[in-house]
Amino acid sequence: MKVRVDVMLRPGVLDPQGAAVRAALGNLGFEGVNAVRQGKVIELDLAEEDPEAARAQATEMAEKLLANLVIESYRVEI
Amino acid sequence: MKVRVDVMLRPGVLDPQGAAVRAALGNLGFEGVNAVRQGKVIELDLAEEDPEAARAQATEMAEKLLANLVIESYRVEI
């Protein structure tokens, strides 16, 4: 089944990609952009078909590989 | 208001990041990972408070800057 893991920088951690996007939007004439944060989304296609087991597997993957927990937080969505 | 734009490579476009994640998961002993696709998530904090206007604004931002429509598709979520 498909599982999706979002990985975002924690609040307070400098996000140069987000700052670059915000500046570029301003240069293109978009106004009213208060803040931009950029993160990663990882879509996993797992053989596991049980939602709770798949969620547990994806959580372990996020903790071990997908997110750097010092500076990033993650969210698992089924 | 907060708007979220997901940008993923279109199906069929080679995704080396996803392939690297899949290989790394295999090396860590995770089995049953059929496929991995990696994309970007951009969280926008817009001054616009009307949901439909914010969606329209984010869609224009995605078309003009956030996604390369030749190889990427996007989804706007309020």
Side-chain angles (χ1 to χ4, degrees):
Chain A
M1 70 183 305
K2 302 261 188 186
V3 182
R4 174 194 158 112
V5 181
D6 289 347
V7 178
M8 300 297 292
L9 286 168
R10 292 187 187 279
V13 177
L14 191 68
D15 177 5
Q17 283 185 305
V21 168
R22 189 183 173 199
L25 287 172
N27 292 341
L28 287 172
F30 288 104
E31 289 174 11
V33 181
N34 296 331
V36 180
R37 302 285 288 174
Q38 183 167 331
K40 293 181 290 186
V41 47
I42 297 124
E43 287 186 357
L44 302 162
D45 183 357
L46 302 179
E48 180 63 60
E49 286 299 335
D50 175 62
E52 281 319 302
R55 180 186 293 275
Q57 210 174 33
T59 299
E60 197 185 344
M61 290 173 183
E63 301 260 348
K64 285 196 178 162
L65 178 71
L66 304 178
N68 174 351
L69 297 179
V70 178
I71 55 168
E72 293 172 326
S73 60
Y74 67 89
R75 194 173 54 213
V76 176
E77 284 172 35
I78 300 286
Chain B
M1 71 182 304
K2 302 263 189 184
V3 182
R4 172 192 161 111
V5 181
D6 288 348
V7 178
M8 300 295 294
L9 287 167
R10 292 187 186 279
V13 176
L14 192 66
D15 177 4
Q17 284 185 303
V21 169
R22 189 184 174 199
L25 288 171
N27 292 341
L28 287 172
F30 288 104
E31 288 174 12
V33 182
N34 296 331
V36 180
R37 304 284 286 172
Q38 182 167 334
K40 292 181 291 188
V41 48
I42 297 125
E43 287 185 357
L44 301 162
D45 183 357
L46 302 179
E48 180 62 60
E49 287 297 336
D50 176 60
E52 280 320 301
R55 179 187 292 275
Q57 211 175 32
T59 300
E60 198 185 344
M61 290 173 184
E63 300 259 348
K64 284 197 179 161
L65 178 72
L66 305 178
N68 174 352
L69 297 178
V70 178
I71 56 168
E72 293 172 326
S73 59
Y74 67 89
R75 194 173 53 213
V76 176
E77 284 172 35
I78 302 284

